[in-house]
Amino acid sequence: MKKIIIANWKLNPSTVQKAVGLARAVERGVKKNRKVDIVIAPPSLYMRDVGKTLRRARLGAQNLFWEDSGAFTGEISASMIMSLGGEYVIVGHSERRAYFHETDADINGKVRHALTKGLHVVLCVGERDRGKENFLQVVKHQMLADLKKIPQRYSKKIIIAYEPIWAIGTGNVVSPHDLYEMALYIRRILLDVFGKRVAHATKILYGGSVSSKNAASFLEVDGVSGLLVGGASLDPKEFIGIVKSAQK
Ligand code: PGA
């Protein structure tokens, strides 16, 4: 399966000039490679300018709303993202769930809106604390609720990013063995929801403290097709190193 490396810049950098500089540095450092898709998800305000600098990488958004237009102050829609050249959108990131109180019903609405408009959806799932909760149940519950009533014809554009919250921005990472088990488990849920063909074709990514040093260890795990990178995507050298791990 083709690999995919996604940069989630979150609320960074502080100016559009810096964002364009960062995108240029990444573009200079990565070679064209048919084996790997690269996606950059800057803050939505920067999408137009960053998008213009991208040649090898594709453009993504970090969030969207579930309606396409109307009286929804401050929101952005799938059509708006696509009109700037965006092809991907991250939905259900744990920071959206925690700080903006997004519920699974909200996330389901966003997933549906994005898919019906034609975006690729990167749906983030993951437990808060492996020791304190039934983490398999948490992931299953999120997936079943977030993917509720998605017509099968749209399911080809779904990507699942397993991002355990305890690993995000902490320097802690999941072990290859635990990641292998989780990827199997996620595929099993996809099988129940969408059937065999979709379950086998869906990309499952890992995210949480990915760096150029540890990227290869996740990409070697059977069933894992890529990475969602936060902090390390703000350092061009680091991010280019991660992309190179996937291109090997
Ligand atoms: P991190 O973030 O790489 O900084 O841990 C990952 C994410 O939140 O997508």
Side-chain angles (χ1 to χ4, degrees), residues 92 94 97 104 107 123-128 135-148 161-163 165 189:
S94 60
R97 295 178 193 257
D104 285 308
I107 292 161
L123 173 65
C124 301
V125 294
E127 77 281 0
R128 185 161 297 282
F135 61 94
L136 294 176
Q137 278 306 318
V138 170
V139 169
K140 184 175 182 176
H141 177 85
Q142 287 174 334
M143 284 185 62
L144 293 180
D146 301 347
L147 297 175
K148 208 168 163 180
Y162 171 58
E163 294 211 311
I165 296 169
I189 299 166

Side-chain angles (χ1 to χ4, degrees), residues 8 10 93 95 163 167-169 208-210 228-231:
N8 174 11
K10 307 190 181 184
H93 191 280
E95 287 150 17
E163 294 211 311
I168 296 176
S209 297
V210 172
L228 180 51
V229 186

Side-chain angles (χ1 to χ4, degrees), residues 5-244:
I5 307 293
I6 305 176
N8 174 11
W9 288 359
K10 307 190 181 184
L11 190 62
N12 302 290
S14 56
T15 66
V16 68
Q17 290 82 5
K18 286 182 189 165
V20 168
L22 180 53
R24 285 209 178 110
V26 169
E27 279 286 333
R28 273 198 301 272
V30 293
K31 292 203 184 71
K32 200 171 177 72
N33 185 307
R34 276 202 225 104
K35 283 197 287 190
V36 184
D37 283 326
I38 305 163
V39 178
I40 293 186
S44 54
L45 271 181
Y46 301 159
M47 281 182 68
R48 190 183 182 89
D49 292 270
V50 167
K52 280 187 197 158
T53 72
L54 300 183
R55 298 286 174 271
R56 296 176 180 93
R58 323 304 301 172
L59 186 64
Q62 299 173 14
N63 181 32
L64 87 174
F65 191 55
W66 55 76
E67 295 285 347
D68 209 41
S69 62
F72 303 103
T73 302
E75 295 296 337
I76 63 167
S77 69
S79 298
M80 294 174 187
I81 291 168
M82 292 169 85
S83 75
L84 297 184
E87 297 172 70
Y88 291 79
V89 63
I90 299 168
V91 180
H93 191 280
S94 60
E95 287 150 17
R96 301 282 329 161
R97 295 178 193 257
Y99 303 134
F100 305 98
H101 312 294
E102 284 189 12
T103 64
D104 285 308
D106 297 338
I107 292 161
N108 179 241
K110 292 178 178 209
V111 171
R112 278 204 268 171
H113 172 59
L115 289 174
T116 52
K117 289 289 169 182
L119 285 167
H120 293 271
V121 168
V122 183
L123 173 65
C124 301
V125 294
E127 77 281 0
R128 185 161 297 282
D129 188 334
R130 268 198 174 220
K132 288 203 189 119
E133 58 191 353
N134 185 339
F135 61 94
L136 294 176
Q137 278 306 318
V138 170
V139 169
K140 184 175 182 176
H141 177 85
Q142 287 174 334
M143 284 185 62
L144 293 180
D146 301 347
L147 297 175
K148 208 168 163 180
K149 291 191 179 146
I150 305 287
Q152 208 191 11
R153 65 182 181 282
Y154 296 127
S155 53
K156 283 197 300 281
K157 291 203 164 178
I158 296 170
I159 296 168
I160 306 293
Y162 171 58
E163 294 211 311
I165 296 169
W166 52 266
I168 296 176
T170 59
N172 301 321
V173 294
V174 76
S175 72
H177 176 75
D178 289 349
L179 180 57
Y180 172 72
E181 284 194 340
M182 182 55 85
L184 269 183
Y185 185 70
I186 287 173
R187 215 170 288 286
R188 173 80 229 174
I189 299 166
L190 288 168
L191 189 86
D192 291 343
V193 177
F194 295 119
K196 212 169 163 183
R197 209 146 44 110
V198 173
H200 287 307
T202 303
K203 288 187 170 77
I204 297 172
L205 318 184
Y206 169 70
S209 297
V210 172
S211 70
S212 61
K213 291 202 172 62
N214 62 24
S217 68
F218 307 120
L219 292 165
E220 278 159 12
V221 173
D222 206 18
V224 174
S225 302
L227 302 166
L228 180 51
V229 186
S233 71
L234 298 170
D235 176 343
K237 249 176 84 184
E238 266 295 295
F239 189 67
I240 291 161
I242 292 167
V243 171
K244 282 183 179 161

